[in-house]
Amino acid sequence: QSPYLSETDFAQLNFSDRFSLAKALTKSYGLKLFLVILVIGLALTVYVSFTINLMGVDAASLLRPGQGRTAYSSTLPLGLFLLFLLAFAIIPFVSVGIKNLALHYIMGAESIPLMTTVLAPLNRLGFFIICFFLWFIAYIGFQICSLVLGAMPCIGMPLIFLLSIFYYLVNNCAMSYLADRGVYQRDLADPIRAVSAPFKIVCHTLTVWIGALATMFLLFLIPGMLFGFGSRLMQSSGSEMGWVLVIVGGLIMIPISIFDIFFMTITYKHAGSKKLGSFESV
């Protein structure tokens, strides 16, 4: 099936076009994407629960420090290794798969098996493991930079905040880039570009990414406040109103989260096409 938009079309989209396109895709395919995320979320919940049990840590000790069982078991090293895999392999892999599904909808390839599309990175598992390892090294570099900046008085914390935003944007772009070039187009053969190309795209179109991030921040602001305020009420007084606010805030977050996936993936397509002319250059 022919793509809805060419690379030139993506480059010419303005903010209103990108917002409207993400909104339309959320209405059309949001439920399908949500069901996939729900299944993956349940599977990850089981994985995390199993890992915590291996470490010998009771869930209560994580939710409320000082309570629960904290006697670490002999399988603690295995649990820590599984947590490492979760953070730097499984979650990135799932993120690429979900971005791949969103990209299929954005490009018009809608008649597709859902889970097959999400698990498509398995077809290049070795390649993606190398990419994720390089991103782990990039994360270590980010942490080192944060430590150096943290030692600077007054301006250290604001610089760390700005660096964190930049790292988030590059990482978000990287997931879309890997889904596009690594899975959808299957023309990415150099793992180093999994880090370097997203960095170049974000640097060249930083205002576009900042605008997209600010938009999502504003959209999440109200449900986030409802969720946070409700949680405080639940912890302080056990009020039923707290439960209501948490549920309402959580329900509002669902369509916004789906919109975020489409909107940020469209932002990647626009930014890459706009500044680099062709993805072949990156």
Side-chain angles (χ1 to χ4, degrees):
Q1 187 170 357
S2 300
Y4 289 146
L5 300 173
S6 66
E7 301 296 344
T8 303
D9 294 330
F10 277 111
Q12 295 174 350
L13 295 177
N14 57 32
F15 176 84
S16 178
D17 295 331
R18 300 195 304 274
F19 191 95
S20 298
L21 178 57
K23 181 180 178 182
L25 289 166
T26 301
K27 288 183 178 179
S28 299
Y29 306 111
L31 181 59
K32 292 181 179 180
L33 199 56
F34 169 71
L35 291 176
V36 171
I37 294 175
L38 180 62
V39 171
I40 292 174
L42 292 174
L44 290 180
T45 300
V46 173
Y47 180 93
V48 171
S49 299
F50 174 74
T51 302
I52 291 176
N53 287 333
L54 279 180
M55 296 172 63
V57 179
D58 188 69
S61 63
L62 298 176
L63 299 175
R64 297 181 178 179
Q67 300 183 16
R69 178 170 55 89
T70 57
Y72 300 115
S73 67
S74 59
T75 55
L76 175 61
L78 177 59
L80 291 175
F81 176 72
L82 292 178
L83 282 181
F84 173 84
L85 288 182
L86 176 68
F88 296 102
I90 296 175
I91 290 180
F93 178 88
V94 170
S95 298
V96 171
I98 291 175
K99 288 275 190 176
N100 181 45
L101 178 60
L103 190 63
H104 274 72
Y105 291 138
I106 292 169
M107 302 303 292
E110 53 185 272
S111 300
I112 49 177
L114 298 182
M115 294 309 298
T116 300
T117 305
V118 173
L119 297 177
L122 277 174
N123 297 326
R124 304 188 66 189
L125 182 59
F127 173 79
F128 280 105
I129 288 177
I130 297 174
C131 291
F132 297 151
F133 176 75
L134 293 176
W135 263 105
F136 170 68
I137 295 175
Y139 175 77
I140 296 299
F142 164 73
Q143 292 297 329
I144 293 174
C145 290
S146 297
L147 289 174
V148 173
L149 293 175
M152 302 173 64
C154 299
I155 63 172
M157 292 307 297
L159 289 177
I160 291 176
F161 176 73
L162 293 176
L163 180 63
S164 299
I165 291 177
F166 181 74
Y167 177 83
Y168 168 78
L169 292 176
V170 175
N171 186 266
N172 193 295
C173 178
M175 296 301 103
S176 296
Y177 181 81
L178 285 170
D180 184 25
R181 297 293 300 272
V183 185
Y184 187 79
Q185 298 187 48
R186 292 181 63 89
D187 62 353
L188 179 63
D190 184 1
I192 295 178
R193 290 191 177 185
V195 177
S196 63
F199 176 83
K200 185 161 57 170
I201 291 173
V202 173
C203 286
H204 288 175
T205 55
L206 186 58
T207 55
V208 173
W209 288 96
I210 292 295
L213 181 62
T215 300
M216 295 314 308
F217 172 78
L218 292 175
L219 289 177
F220 276 113
L221 184 59
I222 293 179
M225 291 175 63
L226 291 175
F227 192 91
F229 185 64
S231 298
R232 282 185 172 274
L233 282 179
M234 289 167 54
Q235 292 176 359
S236 62
S237 62
S239 171
E240 292 184 359
M241 180 56 66
W243 282 102
V244 172
L245 292 177
V246 167
I247 293 173
V248 171
L251 290 176
I252 296 175
M253 282 185 181
I254 292 174
I256 296 178
S257 299
I258 302 300
F259 175 87
D260 174 68
I261 295 172
F262 283 119
F263 186 61
M264 297 304 286
T265 307
I266 293 169
T267 298
Y268 151 76
K269 293 293 291 182
H270 167 75
S273 301
K274 182 173 182 288
K275 283 296 182 183
L276 301 174
S278 169
F279 283 103
E280 293 300 322
S281 61
V282 293

